[in-house]
Amino acid sequence: MKKFIYTVAAAMLIFTGCVKDDFVPEEPQEPASDLTVVINEVMSKDAGSNPDWVELYNTTDNDIDLSGYIINDKENSTGGSVIADGTIITAKGYIVLEDGNGMGESISSGGEWVSLSTADGTVIDKIEVIDMSSNVGLTYGRVTDAGDEWQVNSPTKAASNGNVENTPPILDASELTEFTEVYSVSASDAGGINSVKLVHIVNEGVVTLDMALVDGKYRTTVPKSAVGSTVKYYVIAADNSGLTTVFPENGIETPAEFTVKGGVKELTFSEVQDAATMLYDFTFTATVHYPEQVDEVRVYYLLPGETQDETVDPPVDEKHKVKIPADEIAADGTFNGTITGLDKDTELTYYIRVEYVDGTKTYQPVEEYDAEGNVSGDFNHDLSSTWPTVMVGAIPIAPVNGFSDLAITNEAGADLSFNVKVEYDNGDAQEVKFYYYLNFDNAAFTADPDGYEDANRVSVEADPVPSADNTYDFSIAGLSAGDKVLWYMRAKDGEGEKMYYTFGKTAANFDGDIKDDPTTWHVISKN
């Protein structure tokens, strides 16, 4: 019999663990001395979505009516679940109360008390269940029914704990997909897990990966495969006695499989309106999987009144396209496809096609197929009535308030220069200033802040007319190597509101109105 034994004195039940629920408990009651019905086994971490449960055992030779008894995840009866009227536990019999079916609360897998009380609130049995978070599918139960000794064990739901057999490991796993970077499963066995392995088969090439136990789960990094590859896999868990469990069931003979298809990982829209023509340039920005394998991306679209239907004879094909070659796709897989000269409220009907070097074509939205290869999902790239739409001129414009794109040039023998962009969503900046101290003396400042500021703080105001891209330039000449410059910038918008550039700091990081404590300003040393 598999054992991981914890000895518990039934008459004392002394533990140091804490109750996990937030409540003000009544004074814990000791179980009645003559136990008739006992907590016999507890499931607090079952595989999948199976509910928690508590097994009760009748130690007597008589049936017992449990109507009104209270099962609780505390040491006492307060707030517990009342067992339904007419519930009878037979002589030397078992009854199982499940979360949602006879029991109103789940049992924390991190460990907590479970108690059983009579209808008047008298506790007749209680046990502090240990941390079971790494023991998925196993139970905490008495070694023998109504005995004093408890252990982690394979479940014996509604059956004698003494009848437990040496069973294979419990393996809780989900499907592996082409986008899974780290694959994790839960595996447990009362006698201990010997190994968990992922068998990864790509185009008949087999790799067996040992899965390491990390934070209660067995994990491994999944190899990446080329688009078009067929990947087969299964997981095998072995216990210390040599018994094994496989996911999926019969996975050794019939592994799970998928084909690597790639496609679009993320899609966003943006638009820019020309102030003179009032027309829009509308941009699709997408990121693709496996960019190093992409041959070409196309954005297909229809304007109002146009259609695409290749299911009729002759087919109707009025779609337009924007082609993005591989050399215009960034290393992270991001690309832009822009449609120019569109009127406000133009409804674009669209889809995106990613073509890989092996010829695989993957669509956004994703196209689903049945076993015969026919389109079975909601999207069909041949039928425009199934394509998504987007409205030009309807995308909210994100505020651009703030400083951005700061570039500092700090070359030996040259002026120290700052180039920064300042943008507002309510018009151009009305004022942009650069403030600095050269070789700031904190002791002198502390002794006479106003006098030191008047004598030493430099304020440089930029030309109020910005460059075409809203950038401003500031320079400090005549510096020597090693000179220290403490600085910040300030701008005002068209409504007079001030905004500060603090190089990664917020106004809350500064003292008062920023200028009050120059030691909080940014510091740069001249090269």
Side-chain angles (χ1 to χ4, degrees):
M1 179 172 65
K2 302 181 180 183
K3 286 189 177 182
F4 183 15
I5 295 177
Y6 291 76
T7 300
V8 178
M12 296 177 64
L13 296 168
I14 297 174
F15 290 84
T16 58
C18 61
V19 179
K20 302 219 177 332
D21 301 74
D22 294 325
F23 72 107
V24 179
E26 64 187 31
E27 188 68 25
Q29 298 168 286
E30 288 302 315
S33 57
D34 297 324
L35 298 182
T36 55
V37 179
V38 298
I39 300 167
N40 208 45
E41 188 175 9
V42 180
M43 169 65 79
S44 62
K45 181 66 173 177
D46 208 349
S49 58
N50 296 325
D52 296 346
W53 50 266
V54 174
E55 177 193 82
L56 306 180
Y57 174 64
N58 182 352
T59 68
T60 75
D61 294 323
N62 301 301
D63 294 351
I64 296 177
D65 186 354
L66 297 179
S67 300
Y69 277 51
I70 301 167
I71 190 76
N72 204 8
D73 60 351
K74 303 179 181 70
E75 287 187 78
N76 51 61
S77 61
T78 304
S81 299
V82 178
I83 297 175
D85 288 345
T87 302
I88 305 296
I89 184 168
T90 59
K92 301 296 185 182
Y94 309 89
I95 193 167
V96 174
L97 304 174
E98 291 187 343
D99 181 17
N101 183 18
M103 186 173 68
E105 55 276 301
S106 60
I107 309 302
S108 172
S109 61
E112 67 178 347
W113 286 93
V114 177
S115 66
L116 176 67
S117 305
T118 57
D120 65 2
T122 301
V123 176
I124 60 172
D125 195 19
K126 63 179 180 178
I127 182 65
E128 187 179 25
V129 180
I130 65 170
D131 185 343
M132 296 290 287
S133 56
S134 297
N135 292 311
V136 61
L138 302 179
T139 60
Y140 191 54
R142 298 178 189 270
V143 175
T144 57
D145 296 334
D148 293 342
E149 215 171 68
W150 287 73
Q151 68 182 25
V152 175
N153 205 48
S154 298
T156 57
K157 189 176 184 180
S160 173
N161 293 359
N163 292 337
V164 65
E165 298 177 356
N166 183 23
T167 57
I170 296 169
L171 180 59
D172 188 15
S174 58
E175 292 184 356
L176 177 66
T177 76
E178 63 172 301
F179 307 121
T180 305
E181 296 181 356
V182 177
Y183 186 52
S184 62
V185 303
S186 296
S188 301
D189 188 87
I193 293 292
N194 179 269
S195 66
V196 181
K197 300 177 184 293
L198 170 65
V199 180
H200 194 263
I201 309 165
V202 181
N203 298 332
E204 308 308 324
V206 181
V207 176
T208 300
L209 302 167
D210 289 317
M211 303 184 73
L213 184 61
V214 180
D215 295 331
K217 288 197 170 185
Y218 290 86
R219 307 173 189 267
T220 187
T221 301
V222 181
K224 293 301 180 186
S225 304
V227 174
S229 300
T230 297
V231 176
K232 299 180 180 181
Y233 70 93
Y234 62 88
V235 181
I236 182 167
D239 67 13
N240 287 326
S241 69
L243 295 179
T244 60
T245 301
V246 177
F247 173 85
E249 191 175 355
N250 300 321
I252 296 176
E253 294 78 16
T254 309
E257 67 175 76
F258 59 85
T259 300
V260 180
K261 297 179 180 179
V264 174
K265 180 188 303 183
E266 183 178 10
L267 172 64
T268 58
F269 309 109
S270 61
E271 55 191 15
V272 176
Q273 185 180 33
D274 185 281
T277 65
M278 302 301 289
L279 297 177
Y280 286 82
D281 290 347
F282 191 92
T283 299
F284 296 78
T285 299
T287 304
V288 294
H289 293 284
Y290 318 116
E292 70 282 356
Q293 301 180 47
V294 173
D295 182 56
E296 178 188 82
V297 177
R298 295 185 183 187
V299 178
Y300 286 103
Y301 67 96
L302 295 169
L303 298 171
E306 298 175 333
T307 189
Q308 179 79 15
D309 189 349
E310 297 192 23
T311 67
V312 298
D313 189 16
V316 180
D317 184 0
E318 297 179 336
K319 66 180 182 293
H320 312 275
K321 63 177 176 288
V322 178
K323 295 174 63 174
I324 301 96
D327 60 4
E328 293 183 14
I329 298 174
D332 66 354
T334 302
F335 68 88
N336 296 311
T338 301
I339 305 169
T340 61
L342 297 172
D343 289 320
K344 181 178 173 60
D345 297 331
T346 298
E347 186 177 72
L348 293 174
T349 306
Y350 72 94
Y351 72 88
I352 297 174
R353 190 189 79 184
V354 183
E355 184 169 356
Y356 290 91
V357 293
D358 77 319
T360 296
K361 296 182 178 68
T362 304
Y363 301 95
Q364 171 62 33
V366 175
E367 204 166 55
E368 300 174 355
Y369 309 95
D370 59 22
E372 286 73 38
N374 300 311
V375 175
S376 59
D378 295 332
F379 170 73
N380 183 340
H381 77 277
D382 289 332
L383 191 60
S384 59
S385 62
T386 69
W387 300 5
T389 61
V390 64
M391 189 70 72
V392 176
I395 300 175
I397 299 175
V400 293
N401 289 352
F403 293 88
S404 63
D405 300 341
L406 174 69
I408 301 175
T409 303
N410 186 8
E411 297 178 353
D415 293 348
L416 179 64
S417 64
F418 301 76
N419 179 267
V420 69
K421 178 179 287 189
V422 186
E423 297 177 288
Y424 285 96
D425 58 0
N426 62 357
D428 292 336
Q430 300 302 300
E431 176 188 87
V432 180
K433 285 189 174 181
F434 182 89
Y435 294 92
Y436 72 93
Y437 284 108
L438 178 61
N439 296 321
F440 177 72
D441 185 338
N442 189 47
F445 176 82
T446 302
D448 182 11
D450 292 337
Y452 188 86
E453 178 183 323
D454 292 341
N456 296 280
R457 192 184 72 161
V458 181
S459 172
V460 181
E461 183 172 352
D463 190 319
V465 179
S467 62
D469 61 352
N470 294 315
T471 58
Y472 298 82
D473 296 297
F474 301 96
S475 294
I476 305 175
L479 298 180
S480 301
D483 282 344
K484 292 186 181 299
V485 176
L486 275 68
W487 66 271
Y488 73 89
M489 298 182 195
R490 191 193 75 187
K492 288 183 181 179
D493 65 10
E495 298 173 357
E497 291 295 325
K498 296 179 182 179
M499 178 175 58
Y500 297 94
Y501 187 93
T502 59
F503 206 65
K505 298 181 180 180
T506 66
N509 297 124
F510 287 76
D511 180 20
D513 191 28
I514 294 181
K515 67 179 183 179
D516 293 347
D517 186 1
T519 61
T520 66
W521 300 5
H522 187 60
V523 182
I524 188 169
S525 295
K526 182 67 178 73
N527 289 335

